[in-house]
Amino acid sequence: MAVQQSVGPDSYFPGNGDPRYRVHRYELMLDYRPGPNRLSGTARINAIAGRAPLTEFQLNLADFRIGRVRVDGRQPHYTHRGGKLRVRPAKALRAGAAFTVEVHWSGNPKPVSSPWGGIGWEELADGALVASQPVGAPSWYPCNDRPADKASYLISVTTPSAYAVVAGGRLLTRTTKASTTTWVYEQSAPTSSYLVGMSIGKYQTVLLGDPGLGGVPMHGHIPAHLLPKFSRDFARQPGMMDLFQQLFGPYPFDEYAVVVTDEELDVPVEAQGLSLFGANHVDGARGSERLVAHELAHQWFGNSVSIADWRHIWLNEGFAKYAEWLWSERSGGRGAQQLAAVAHRLLSSLPQDLKLADPGRKSMFDDRLYERGGLAVHAVRCALGDDAFFRMLRAWLGLHRGGAVTTPMFTAHAARFTSEPLDELFDAWLHQGALPPLPMAETRATA
């Protein structure tokens, strides 16, 4: 479907992205040397101007040396300061016109600053990884860095042959010449810039389960010494995939991969078709299994159906949190009602000043948003009943597959699956700070 564009700058990051155009496709050709942490790249960006002629436009790109910029093969005027590559074509681009931008850059990639510390490209002790949520993508490539601007990607990475490159999407080719290997990945599904994930390291690759005919290939990429623990911790991921396809609809991408780095990460990070875990999330006792479910659920909620503006982040995190509860409910653990009660008790002891529908930039990753988001989803389930609730979810994910959505779009959609008004429910859970009573219903997850 056509990606829905949000109008105007992003609410929380108005300096990121440019709503005057949208990107159709990125083709990135990268060369990375882990030792000196040296990255050089060429980006070919196919874009479409918006409703007004473009006399100039901007891309987001961190502090690299720019070698060359071209617009439709012609040299434009450009400036590169403060993470913004401002480009003025030799001739204004017509409204609705397709155009191509080529950028050559090089330097030492590093995380970009954010309210949560450095994010984006991270040099590891032996390799690198990319974890860009929410604004880290410009740490390694030029992009229109707004979640609503979704594009397909072709990514070619050349690196010393001792290292494996894992990226979201389908591996097209792997070609070794002398001491280097070039890995080429294709992500054909529309992808937000922050969801382009990648890891470069020394990994052993394993197949998770037998996908069978028409199944979803799932691979794990892990340091060899963590393989025994990984095999237990991720053993039930194929079961998660089966359940989520039953409840949410078909898996929206070609493949799914998980990477475990040999270093600790504060939290796992989702990317499109790929999730990144730290060595601390592998303990051989399934201690992080809820996080395995959470990251997989993001492939539907957040990646396939993305948010048009960061203020709507509860649509990503609330549903991924609720997917944890659904997995627990279906796999012999505590039911969603029990887990909702635990979350409600926790929230009742914390400040009640967070509004889900617009939490503010400082609180967009607050633990309360995750827990309250899960409770809001549970409240909708209790109001609709299981049959209508899961029909509603599958319809939502099918209708907006590959697109970008907002909170009002979701509330209007959910209201169509019941004859009872939901206005008070949504106002209490999404727009007020006070914690509503615990939602109650005799529920059991059924497809």
Side-chain angles (χ1 to χ4, degrees), residues 48-121:
I48 300 171
R51 296 179 179 178
L54 274 183
T55 56
E56 57 94 21
F57 60 89
Q58 75 174 35
L59 292 158
N60 294 103
L61 180 63
D63 186 22
F64 290 98
R65 186 180 67 83
I66 303 296
R68 189 173 78 166
V69 178
R70 295 288 185 271
V71 177
D72 291 334
R74 301 178 66 183
Q75 183 172 342
H77 176 78
Y78 70 87
T79 60
H80 183 217
R81 287 191 299 271
K84 295 180 181 179
L85 178 60
R86 291 184 170 89
V87 181
R88 190 169 73 238
K91 182 179 180 182
L93 301 165
R94 293 180 295 103
F99 63 99
T100 300
V101 186
E102 187 177 309
V103 181
H104 296 230
W105 75 101
S106 61
N108 300 107
K110 61 184 180 181
V112 297
S113 298
S114 82
W116 308 275
I119 54 174
W121 187 284

Side-chain angles (χ1 to χ4, degrees), residues 247 319 322-323 325-327 329-330 334-338 340 374-390 392-393 410 414 422 425-426 439-447:
L247 298 180
F319 280 96
Y322 199 67
W325 300 355
L326 291 172
W327 170 247
E329 185 171 82
R330 275 297 189 91
R334 288 182 291 179
Q337 186 66 49
Q338 292 172 279
L375 280 167
V377 176
H378 189 64
V380 176
R381 180 183 178 189
C382 291
L384 268 59
D386 276 16
D387 180 67
F389 174 75
F390 287 107
M392 181 274 294
L393 281 192
F410 174 74
L422 297 177
L425 181 153
F426 284 129
M440 297 290 292
E442 292 294 326
T443 56
R444 178 177 171 275
T446 55

Side-chain angles (χ1 to χ4, degrees), residues 39-54:
L39 177 69
S40 60
T42 299
R44 183 178 176 85
I45 303 169
N46 298 322
I48 300 171
R51 296 179 179 178
L54 274 183

Side-chain angles (χ1 to χ4, degrees), residues 276-340:
L276 302 165
F277 293 80
N280 52 309
H281 299 122
V282 177
D283 60 8
R286 301 210 308 257
S288 296
E289 186 167 276
R290 72 170 186 85
L291 299 176
V292 177
H294 185 104
E295 302 310 320
L296 176 58
H298 270 311
Q299 302 306 318
W300 286 266
F301 298 102
N303 298 7
S304 174
V305 178
S306 303
I307 49 175
D309 186 291
W310 281 110
R311 79 169 78 175
H312 307 293
I313 189 171
W314 85 272
L315 289 170
N316 294 359
E317 301 302 345
F319 280 96
K321 168 59 71 174
Y322 199 67
E324 297 177 28
W325 300 355
L326 291 172
W327 170 247
S328 175
E329 185 171 82
R330 275 297 189 91
S331 62
R334 288 182 291 179
Q337 186 66 49
Q338 292 172 279
L339 292 166

